[in-house]
DNA sequence: CTGAAAGCGCTTACAG
DNA sequence: CTGAAAGCGCTTACAG
C-alpha cells in the first residue's frame, strides 16, 4: 500500500519498499549516476513497473536547483520567420533533452519584463531572448541568479550573456549592391520601424551601399508589420516615379509591398524589381519567386541553443558571440537592366 | 549574511530574518493567502527589496505538486495554421498566468510518446494535445496522474479528457455544396493523408456532399504536406480534364496545388476554381485572394485553454466537448458557372 | 556497492 | 494575526 499522499501516484519510497532496497538505490537505478548490483537493479525495475511509477521531477528540480527547460522569448510566432526560428530552437533543445517554454511579448517592454520575471521564479535553465528592451533590469536579474541568457538577433545591454548576432548591416549592404550590379540605380528601401533593432540596422546597410556609389537613399520606415510596407511602398511610388527596384526590409513589410503592387497593377520584375530581406517560405512559392537575402534561420536557432548548452556545462566559460551572415537566394524577381 | 547555499540568491528565510518575522509570514505576504499586519508586511517588503529576493517556484512547485505551466503538443509549428493556434494557446495561458511548454512531434508516434512521458515527469498542470496516436498509453498515464489532457482537433481513445472538436465533415460538406451552388459539377478534392484524422474527415465530408447530389467523388490523398498537393493535383488534372473546380484539403496541400497550377499555366478562377480548407494568412493575400472554409483558429485555441482551466479548478467536473464549425470566407477564387 | 540522513525552499494545517 | 514544524519527493555526500 503506497504511503504517498498524492493520489494514485507511487513515489520512490514505494518502489524502494516493494523492491526491498533503500530509496538511494532506487534513485541510483533511475539516474544511472552510480553502479547498482544487477539483481537489485532488476528488483527495482520490476517494482517500478508493477507500481506504474512515474518519476516526479518536481522534487529533483528542487534538489538540483534547476529545471531541464529553456525559455524562448520572442515577439509573436505568427510570423513565418519567427516560427521557423522557434521550431529550430525547440528541436535543438529537445535533442539536448531540454523542454522549451515559449513566451511571447508582442514587442511590449512591460510584457517582456513580466515574462522574464516569471522565468526567474521558475528557475529555467536558460533563456534565448529576442528582446525588445535591451536595458530591461530583469535580464540582469536572471544573470544574477546564474541563469544564462543568450541574446538572439537583438542586443542586450548587460554584457554577461552570450549572443547570436546577425550581420544585417553587411547583409543588406550586399543585397543593395546586388541590385546595383544588375544595373539598377533608382533603388528604394521600404523598411520596418527604426525602433526595432534589426530593421534599423538593415536601413543602415542600405544607405551605406547607396552612398558608396554616390546615390541618394530613398527610404521609408513606417512600421515593421505588413501595413507599414503597404503604406511605405505607396508613398514611395507616388514620390519617386522613376524607381526600378525596391527592397522590402523584412518579410512582413514585403507582404504589404506586394499588396501595394497589386493595388496598382505593378508586375514584378517587368515593371519593378523586388528583393526581400528575410526568406519566409512564401517567397519561394509566389509567382514570380522572389529573390531574397536571408539569415540561415535554422542555424541561427541551433547556435543559440548551443551557446546555452555550452554555458550550462561551463558557467564560467568566456563570453561568446556567434555571427551569421545573410545569404543571397537568387530567384526571379530582379530584372537585369541593360548597361 | 544569507545562509542560502545557492549562489547569490536570497531565500525566504533570509527575508524573514532581515524583517524579523517568521518564514510563514513572509510566505503569507508573497502569496497573499492570508492577512498580515500592515507594519509587518511593510518590513517584509522592504527586506525582499533590499535583498533582491526572487521567489523560487521550484520549492513551491514541489510543495503544491504542480507547476503553473501547460504543455502544447503539436506536430510542428512551421505551418501557419499551427503557429496561429499555438499563439492563441500561449496567449490564453499567459492570461491565466500559466506558462506554456511547446512540444513538437513531427507526427511521429514514438516522439509523441517521449514528449508525453517527459510532461508526466515534469508534472505540468495540463496538456493540450493534437495527437498523432489516439491510443498512446502515455495519455492515460497523464490522466492517471491527475494531469488533465484536452484533445485538440484529433481524437484521443481515453475518454476521460475534454476535447475541442472541429466539425470537418460538415464543414467540408458545406464547402463542397458551396461549389455546387456556383454551378460546378466536376469538382475534385485534393486532400491530405487518410492517416491524419482531420484530413480523413474532410475527405468524408467532400464525398458525402458529392454523393448526395449523385456525383462521383474525384479524390486524391497523397500526403498532408505540400508535395502531396502538388502530386495529387497533377495526377488528377491528367486524369480528369473536365474539372471546373478543385478543393485543397488543407493549407499545406494548397501550396502544392498552386505549384501545379503554375507549372501548367492554369489561372484561377478563369481556368479552374479553387477553394481551400483552412485559411492560412497567405490565402487572403495572393492574387486572386482565395476563398476558404476555415475553423476560427483563435477561438479553437482559447477553447482548449478554457477547458483546461475549468478542469484545473474542478477536477471532477463532467467531461466536456466544445465543437467548432468551419466558416466560409468568400473571396475571389471561385467562379460562378452559367446554368 | 549500499543505506541512513540531511537538505533543496517553499506552504499550510495546527496551536496559540 | 503569527510562529514552529512537518512535509512535498527527490539526490548525494558520508560512512561503512
Amino acid at each position: 500500500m503506497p504511503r504517498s499522499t498524492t493520489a494514485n501516484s507511487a513515489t520512490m519510497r514505494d518502489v524502494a519498499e516493494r523492491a526491498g532496497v533503500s530509496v538511494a538505490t532506487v534513485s541510483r537505478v533511475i539516474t544511472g549516476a552510480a553502479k547498482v548490483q544487477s539483481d537489485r537493479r532488476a528488483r527495482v525495475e520490476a517494482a517500478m513497473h508493477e507500481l506504474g511509477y512515474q518519476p516526479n521531477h518536481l522534487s529533483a528540480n528542487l534538489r538540483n536547483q534547476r529545471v531541464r527547460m529553456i525559455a524562448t522569448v520572442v515577439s509573436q510566432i505568427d510570423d513565418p520567420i519567427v516560427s521557423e526560428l522557434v521550431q529550430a530552437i525547440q528541436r535543438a533543445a529537445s535533442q539536448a533533452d531540454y523542454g522549451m517554454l515559449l513566451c511571447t511579448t508582442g514587442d511590449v517592454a512591460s510584457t517582456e519584463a513580466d515574462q522574464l520575471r516569471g522565468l526567474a521564479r521558475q528557475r529555467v535553465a536558460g533563456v534565448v531572448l529576442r528582446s525588445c528592451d535591451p536595458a530591461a533590469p530583469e535580464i540582469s536579474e536572471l544573470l544574477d541568479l546564474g541563469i544564462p541568457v543568450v541574446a538572439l538577433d537583438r542586443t542586450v545591454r548587460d554584457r554577461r550573456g552570450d549572443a547570436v548576432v546577425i550581420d544585417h548591416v553587411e547583409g543588406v549592404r550586399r543585397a543593395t549592391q546586388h541590385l546595383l550590379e544588375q544595373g539598377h540605380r533608382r533603388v528604394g528601401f521600404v523598411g520596418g520601424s527604426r525602433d526595432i533593432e534589426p530593421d534599423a540596422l538593415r536601413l543602415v546597410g542600405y544607405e551605406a551601399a547607396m552612398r558608396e556609389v554616390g546615390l541618394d537613399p530613398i527610404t521609408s520606415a513606417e512600421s515593421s508589420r505588413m501595413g507599414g510596407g503597404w503604406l511605405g511602398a505607396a508613398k514611395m511610388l507616388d514620390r519617386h516615379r522613376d524607381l526600378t527596384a525596391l527592397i522590402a526590409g523584412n518579410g512582413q513589410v514585403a507582404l504589404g509591398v506586394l499588396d501595394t503592387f497589386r493595388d496598382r497593377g505593378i508586375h514584378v520584375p517587368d515593371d519593378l524589381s523586388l528583393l526581400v530581406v528575410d526568406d519566409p517560405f512564401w517567397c519561394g512559392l509566389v509567382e514570380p519567386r522572389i529573390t531574397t537575402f536571408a539569415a540561415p534561420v535554422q542555424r541561427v536557432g541551433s547556435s543559440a541553443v548551443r551557446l546555452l548548452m555550452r554555458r550550462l556545462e561551463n558557467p564560467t566559460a568566456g563570453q561568446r558571440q556567434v555571427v551569421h551572415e545573410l545569404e543571397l537566394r537568387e530567384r526571379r524577381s530582379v530584372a537585369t537592366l541593360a548597361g
Side-chain angles (χ1 to χ4, degrees), chain A:
Chain A
M1 191 74 162
R3 293 197 198 156
S4 140
T5 57
T6 309
N8 57 22
S9 160
T11 68
M12 254 168 67
R13 180 180 179 157
D14 302 318
V15 174
E17 276 178 14
R18 182 158 192 128
V21 300
S22 70
V23 292
T25 297
V26 176
S27 175
R28 288 179 185 121
V29 169
I30 291 170
T31 62
K35 297 199 183 301
V36 174
Q37 268 186 6
S38 67
D39 59 328
R40 295 175 150 259
R41 173 185 303 277
R43 290 219 308 279
V44 168
E45 277 160 357
M48 291 198 293
H49 189 75
E50 288 158 20
L51 294 171
Y53 172 69
Q54 296 282 354
N56 183 335
H57 280 359
L58 263 29
S59 29
N61 290 345
L62 175 58
R63 169 68 215 219
N64 300 333
Q65 280 303 302
R66 51 140 70 183
V67 211
R68 276 189 88 84
M69 277 181 205
I70 66 166
T72 299
V73 183
V74 294
S75 53
Q76 27 60 257
I77 61 164
D78 55 1
D79 172 337
I81 296 298
V82 180
S83 43
E84 200 181 334
L85 187 64
V86 170
Q87 170 101 306
I89 293 169
Q90 200 275 333
R91 280 217 188 103
S94 195
Q95 270 164 24
D97 202 30
Y98 276 75
M100 194 203 74
L101 206 51
L102 177 65
C103 303
T104 64
T105 66
D107 270 338
V108 174
S110 64
T111 308
E112 182 173 308
D114 288 345
Q115 303 276 12
L116 294 179
R117 220 171 292 121
L119 297 177
R121 288 162 171 34
Q122 293 289 355
R123 298 292 198 273
V124 294
V127 2
V128 175
L129 176 62
R130 191 146 180 268
S131 176
C132 66
D133 180 8
E138 289 76 13
I139 299 172
S140 299
E141 283 166 13
L142 283 163
L143 263 0
D144 289 344
L145 285 170
I147 298 175
V149 175
V150 172
L152 184 71
D153 191 27
R154 304 197 191 170
T155 312
V156 154
R157 191 98 86 213
D158 192 316
R159 286 335 196 82
R160 286 174 289 171
D162 302 302
V164 178
V165 174
I166 298 174
D167 190 353
H168 297 295
V169 176
E170 177 58 17
V172 175
R173 198 172 140 264
R174 288 198 292 117
T176 309
Q177 288 169 345
H178 175 74
L179 291 173
L180 298 172
E181 285 160 12
Q182 308 303 309
H184 295 274
R185 308 266 95 191
R186 305 294 294 162
V187 177
F189 185 89
V190 182
S193 161
R194 284 178 214 274
D195 295 337
I196 304 226
E197 186 180 336
D199 287 312
L201 295 174
R202 289 169 175 192
L203 212 41
V204 169
Y206 159 78
E207 290 175 340
M210 292 293 276
R211 296 227 163 87
E212 279 164 19
V213 295
L215 293 172
D216 281 334
I218 301 167
T219 65
S220 127
E222 298 284 345
S223 99
S224 295
R225 309 299 310 228
M226 186 176 153
W230 177 79
L231 185 61
K235 285 188 184 173
M236 191 178 289
L237 292 174
D238 284 340
R239 216 164 299 167
H240 303 276
R241 307 207 166 252
D242 55 350
L243 288 171
T244 63
L246 237 49
I247 299 176
N250 69 47
Q252 295 293 317
V253 162
L255 290 169
V257 169
L258 287 175
D259 230 16
T260 292
F261 285 4
R262 179 170 41 195
D263 290 348
R264 307 189 171 205
I266 293 172
H267 287 273
V268 174
D270 304 330
D271 302 329
L272 208 50
S273 289
L274 177 66
L275 183 150
V276 172
V277 190
D278 283 346
D279 191 22
F281 71 92
W282 57 263
C283 280
L285 299 173
V286 292
E287 183 56 39
R289 303 179 201 264
I290 297 172
T291 295
T292 64
F293 260 78
V297 178
Q298 313 277 347
R299 273 184 282 143
V300 168
S302 53
S303 295
V305 176
R306 204 174 317 116
L307 286 180
L308 218 41
M309 294 304 147
R310 165 178 161 274
R311 186 154 302 279
L312 254 21
E313 278 160 22
N314 179 9
T316 61
Q319 193 239 32
R320 180 127 67 187
Q321 197 162 292
V322 174
V323 180
H324 288 281
E325 302 294 338
L326 305 190
E327 300 153 1
L328 169 65
R329 306 195 190 173
E330 192 159 16
R331 293 196 276 247
R332 315 198 49 82
S333 65
V334 174
T336 302
L337 297 191

